[in-house]
Amino acid sequence: MYTAMNRSCARWSRVLFLHNSRLSVGKQFPFETRSLASPPPPTNLSVGINKRPTDISEDGKTAVPSSASIGRRDPLDLSFDNAEAAFRSKTTLQILRAYLVFTLCSSNYLVENNMKLMKLGKKVLGKRLFKSLMKATFYGQFVAGENQQDIMPTIQRMRSFGVKSILDYSAEEDISAEEAAEKEMASCVSTTVAPDPAAISVDPAANSPEAVKRYHAHREFADRRQNVNSARTYFYLNEAQCEKNVDIFLRCIEAVSGTTQSTGFAAIKMTALGRPQLLLQLSEVIARSRRYFTEVTGLSADNNILQQNASPAIFEKRFEKADILTDNVAVQKWLQQMTYDQKGLIHLFSWSGLIDANILLNDLFKVPNLQTGRMEPLITALSPEEEEMACNMLRRLNTIFSAARDLDVRVMVDAEQSYFQPAISRLTMELMRKYNKEKAIVFNTYQCYLKETYNNVVLDLEQANRQNFYFGAKLVRGAYMEQERARALALGYEDPVNPTYEATTAMYEKTLLECLMRIKEMKTRTNERRIGVMVASHNEDTVRFALRKMEELGISAQDKVICFGQLLGMCDQISFPLGQSGYSVYKYVPYGPVDEVLPYLSRRAQENRGILTKIKKEKRLLVTELKRRLVKGQLFTTPKGEYVPI
């Protein structure tokens, strides 16, 4: 088995060096700018009101005009139609490049054949000339640079105009659909002999065709890139490749620490860190454990265990009724290892044991059979090698988030397909419990096109409240909708996706409002700010909704609990006016060698074609700004940032 000792030593020497070179900081709000040199944020910023921000004077009571040290603040135009504010940070050449790129993205032929054309261009032009062409067009528009040094000017320029960064090393392996399918099937099938279904669950419903099909790999959907334009896909090769991915994520965290003054984020995907079969099995265990809870307690399966306020005593009574508790040491031990508090059960199993104590999956996920009293597994048996792979995945997660905590860098765990997501979210919440004790380091991602998103967020907020840790969330519409619908229809299980675009919008707004209400309630009750939410959206109406509700609930920008996020090179008419008016705003900043980010650039081209209405607006604003500069004689003026992000 792959040994990571030498690699781990190198990692931690690097992390410790960076950690010891930094001053420590105390408790922080979820989105507080943690640069010691940064000035205080404005204390009076009303949406759409043309007022200069104010500071609190030394007596702590009197509002006085802001000093120049906080940087310039502009009023916010909620129509997001201010071309000057949108492109103030760009040179005229960058504006012309953006117009060219968006025009090319409007061509169906170019977009549909973009990868073929890029490969042909590389072959015809040669590596050096092709690289120059890409940097002058698509690469320059959507990617910040090849390495940590190259991206510094982009990060610093955006920061001077009020926008911070989420760094992501976006190099990808360019493989065929057949290769992807082979890798996926090989990594999602257990090496053990499949046992009799009756032997792995006390609940027959857990082995229903729907449950079996949903949480198992199928060749027709093995290429997880199919119908996905806005998300990167990792395919499992071996444990050594997972270790390399850890190093990539650690370097990204170090880059955030070194280039953004710890005000940025890093982003990771869990499928990059281990065998995806393990995530499938854990997701299936979660579904089975809920059914088992219902079978034992009689409480509805529609609600989660956490919402039922059920105590372990309910299980004891049921076991006594089944005559399986008396002198049964294994059952008594199982009851003692439940996760619960004064309100009742939180989890049937000690998920924290997976993160903290390296408990084996085969040992953890067992339940008493109501007929025999024997402890029986809810998880398909894992071989010793698979157990070791599971331990490796959990170790890698701890390595990443330990480094993030030590370097004071926040990390977002990206959402993935719904058949992986229950496991990803559960592990992410346990990482929050461990690493978000003093500030929000770990953030989970919630895809609002899913029917269950609101309920999941409510449950996770409740767990964070009951176990007393900071909750971090990124809300997105989602990346896998077409793929999810096609898979559910073909395999015969319930479609997990909201039926319409309007339903997804309603889900997003309902979920965001719940978070805002919780923030308001906590602020009113204890004046604590232990919930942080990123509104990651290119939809202007969604951003306006968030701003309006923040104002209604008395949540201001300087509370540092709400931020906004968009992709580099897209929707600048949202990002920069928000940042220049004092809101916490981030750009998702990809970086990596030109040759290795071609798949990422291909997805950006296809994504832009899918939002032609937005492209038309951006092109119109680009033309407006060019005309303004021409009239005012500012075509060759160098942009100068006067803004300090909070």
Side-chain angles (χ1 to χ4, degrees):
M1 204 52 165
Y2 183 83
T3 302
M5 183 176 295
N6 293 334
R7 191 184 297 272
S8 296
C9 290
R11 287 177 190 149
W12 283 108
S13 63
R14 199 164 66 234
V15 169
L16 288 172
F17 172 78
L18 286 169
H19 175 60
N20 291 333
S21 68
R22 294 174 49 82
L23 293 174
S24 61
V25 294
K27 288 188 177 182
Q28 306 290 337
F29 300 146
F31 295 110
E32 183 163 2
T33 295
R34 285 165 279 187
S35 166
L36 298 180
S38 295
T43 58
N44 182 19
L45 182 63
S46 298
V47 178
I49 298 178
N50 296 340
K51 290 184 178 181
R52 295 293 296 171
T54 59
D55 288 332
I56 299 299
S57 64
E58 291 182 1
D59 62 12
K61 299 177 182 179
T62 308
V64 297
S66 296
S67 64
S69 65
I70 69 165
R72 175 177 167 181
R73 299 285 186 234
D74 295 338
L76 177 62
D77 177 6
L78 288 177
S79 71
F80 297 113
D81 214 28
N82 187 332
E84 182 180 0
F87 306 117
R88 183 179 283 127
S89 66
K90 295 187 180 299
T91 66
T92 299
L93 283 177
Q94 289 171 334
I95 290 176
L96 290 170
R97 180 188 66 196
Y99 187 87
L100 171 64
V101 168
F102 289 141
T103 299
L104 293 174
C105 287
S106 302
S107 167
N108 286 332
Y109 176 80
L110 291 178
V111 171
E112 289 172 1
N113 298 279
N114 68 84
M115 279 300 292
K116 292 180 182 178
L117 292 172
M118 284 191 286
K119 290 177 180 178
L120 177 62
K122 182 179 178 181
K123 184 176 181 180
V124 172
L125 298 174
K127 186 173 182 180
R128 180 176 298 180
L129 189 56
F130 175 76
K131 183 176 180 179
S132 298
L133 177 63
M134 292 304 295
K135 286 192 173 183
T137 54
F138 286 92
Y139 183 95
Q141 179 70 16
F142 298 119
V143 182
E146 297 200 46
N147 51 51
Q148 182 173 336
Q149 289 70 38
D150 288 349
I151 66 178
M152 279 291 290
T154 298
I155 291 172
Q156 292 174 347
R157 174 177 53 82
M158 290 197 304
R159 181 177 171 81
S160 71
F161 287 91
V163 175
K164 296 171 280 187
S165 300
I166 305 169
L167 300 191
D168 180 58
Y169 187 74
S170 296
E172 298 183 29
E173 185 182 12
D174 184 17
I175 60 175
S176 68
E178 184 61 29
E179 289 175 300
E182 290 296 332
K183 288 185 176 184
E184 184 73 358
M185 294 307 296
S187 63
C188 288
V189 178
S190 176
T191 59
T192 60
V193 177
D196 180 359
I200 63 172
S201 175
V202 295
D203 175 19
N207 299 303
S208 65
E210 176 177 338
V212 170
K213 289 179 179 179
R214 182 167 186 174
Y215 298 112
H216 290 75
H218 299 269
R219 177 166 288 276
E220 61 266 45
F221 298 100
D223 183 359
R224 289 183 276 115
R225 302 169 302 178
Q226 189 176 14
N227 296 324
V228 177
N229 293 329
S230 58
R232 178 180 180 177
T233 301
Y234 287 90
F235 292 99
Y236 179 85
L237 179 61
N238 51 42
E239 292 296 284
Q241 182 60 50
C242 293
E243 295 293 338
K244 291 179 182 178
N245 291 338
V246 172
D247 282 340
I248 289 171
F249 291 145
L250 288 176
R251 287 198 299 271
C252 189
I253 289 169
E254 292 166 8
V256 173
S257 178
T259 62
T260 72
Q261 299 174 303
S262 290
T263 64
F265 280 85
I268 72 165
K269 278 186 178 287
M270 243 181 238
T271 50
L273 301 175
R275 191 178 174 91
Q277 168 212 343
L278 302 170
L279 295 175
L280 288 172
Q281 288 180 277
L282 287 176
S283 293
E284 191 172 26
V285 162
I286 292 170
R288 286 174 169 165
S289 65
R290 289 175 180 172
R291 294 189 183 99
Y292 180 75
F293 174 83
T294 299
E295 183 184 9
V296 173
T297 65
L299 298 173
S300 172
D302 294 335
N303 293 318
N304 192 277
I305 295 170
L306 192 68
Q307 293 177 308
Q308 300 288 359
N309 295 328
S311 70
I314 294 178
F315 284 80
E316 292 180 10
K317 291 179 180 178
R318 181 69 175 87
F319 293 159
E320 287 176 354
K321 183 178 179 180
D323 197 26
I324 62 172
L325 183 61
T326 305
D327 298 326
N328 193 324
V329 176
V331 173
Q332 292 174 351
K333 183 179 179 181
W334 183 81
L335 288 169
Q336 293 169 0
Q337 291 179 344
M338 285 180 169
T339 303
Y340 60 92
D341 60 9
Q342 292 181 343
K343 288 186 177 181
L345 281 174
I346 298 175
H347 304 302
L348 281 184
F349 306 105
S350 176
W351 285 88
S352 61
L354 286 180
I355 300 295
D356 298 336
N358 293 324
I359 296 176
L360 297 179
L361 273 64
N362 281 332
D363 294 337
L364 178 62
F365 296 115
K366 291 182 177 181
V367 295
N369 185 299
L370 293 178
Q371 282 70 48
T372 66
R374 292 194 303 269
M375 300 300 295
E376 296 183 354
L378 282 186
I379 190 169
T380 305
L382 298 173
S383 68
E385 184 181 20
E386 289 168 342
E387 283 280 15
E388 186 175 355
M389 290 178 182
C391 290
N392 287 341
M393 176 186 277
L394 298 170
R395 170 182 53 77
R396 291 173 192 128
L397 287 168
N398 275 310
T399 297
I400 289 168
F401 286 102
S402 293
R405 178 186 58 193
D406 291 343
L407 294 177
D408 202 19
V409 171
R410 291 157 293 182
V411 178
M412 289 182 170
V413 180
D414 284 342
E416 304 194 45
Q417 284 86 351
S418 64
Y419 44 89
F420 290 136
Q421 197 56 43
I424 292 171
S425 289
R426 172 82 342 261
L427 292 174
T428 302
M429 288 302 295
E430 290 307 314
L431 290 164
M432 279 193 208
R433 179 197 55 78
K434 182 173 183 178
Y435 294 103
N436 286 12
K437 292 180 179 178
E438 295 186 352
K439 63 183 71 172
I441 295 293
V442 185
F443 281 69
N444 196 16
T445 302
Y446 298 88
Q447 300 188 101
C448 292
Y449 70 69
L450 294 173
K451 297 174 182 176
E452 61 184 14
T453 297
Y454 173 78
N455 289 337
N456 288 341
V457 170
V458 169
L459 292 169
D460 291 347
L461 283 165
E462 179 67 13
Q463 181 185 347
N465 181 53
R466 285 169 63 171
Q467 294 189 309
N468 196 32
F469 57 81
Y470 284 72
F471 177 76
K474 178 176 73 169
L475 300 183
V476 299
R477 286 183 179 268
Y480 308 100
M481 183 174 66
E482 291 183 28
Q483 186 186 99
E484 295 274 14
R485 278 187 168 150
R487 189 176 191 269
L489 179 63
L491 301 182
Y493 59 84
E494 182 183 355
D495 185 354
V497 178
N498 287 315
T500 64
Y501 178 87
E502 291 73 21
T504 294
T505 297
M507 177 65 73
Y508 198 119
E509 293 180 352
K510 180 181 179 181
T511 304
L512 175 57
L513 183 58
E514 179 68 26
C515 293
L516 292 171
M517 294 292 290
R518 297 286 186 111
I519 290 169
K520 172 65 174 177
E521 178 187 356
M522 184 174 291
K523 182 181 176 182
T524 302
R525 189 177 71 250
T526 65
N527 200 33
E528 289 186 307
R529 295 161 178 82
R530 299 175 65 85
I531 299 171
V533 178
M534 173 174 282
V535 181
S537 177
H538 290 179
N539 186 293
E540 293 178 5
D541 290 333
T542 297
V543 174
R544 278 190 284 266
F545 174 86
L547 294 170
R548 185 173 70 252
K549 292 302 177 182
M550 286 174 66
E551 186 174 34
E552 290 175 3
L553 295 170
I555 300 170
S556 64
Q558 61 266 27
D559 285 330
K560 308 179 188 72
V561 292
I562 300 295
C563 73
F564 300 86
Q566 289 84 37
L567 293 171
L568 181 70
M570 297 173 65
C571 292
D572 287 347
Q573 78 275 13
I574 296 177
S575 307
F576 285 94
L578 281 172
Q580 291 160 20
S581 63
Y583 286 90
S584 182
V585 185
Y586 292 83
K587 281 290 194 183
Y588 182 95
V589 179
Y591 68 101
V594 174
D595 290 344
E596 297 178 30
V597 299
L598 294 184
Y600 174 83
L601 293 174
S602 175
R603 291 200 306 274
R604 291 289 77 78
Q606 295 192 28
E607 184 175 13
N608 275 292
R609 181 186 61 170
I611 50 175
L612 287 176
T613 302
K614 291 185 176 68
I615 286 183
K616 288 179 181 178
K617 177 171 183 176
E618 290 198 50
K619 289 173 66 177
R620 174 175 60 79
L621 292 175
L622 287 164
V623 171
T624 300
E625 175 61 8
L626 282 172
K627 290 179 179 178
R628 186 194 68 80
R629 292 186 183 190
L630 180 63
V631 170
K632 294 197 172 185
Q634 297 177 349
L635 283 176
F636 304 104
T637 301
T638 302
K640 182 180 179 182
E642 305 174 283
Y643 305 87
V644 178
I646 65 171

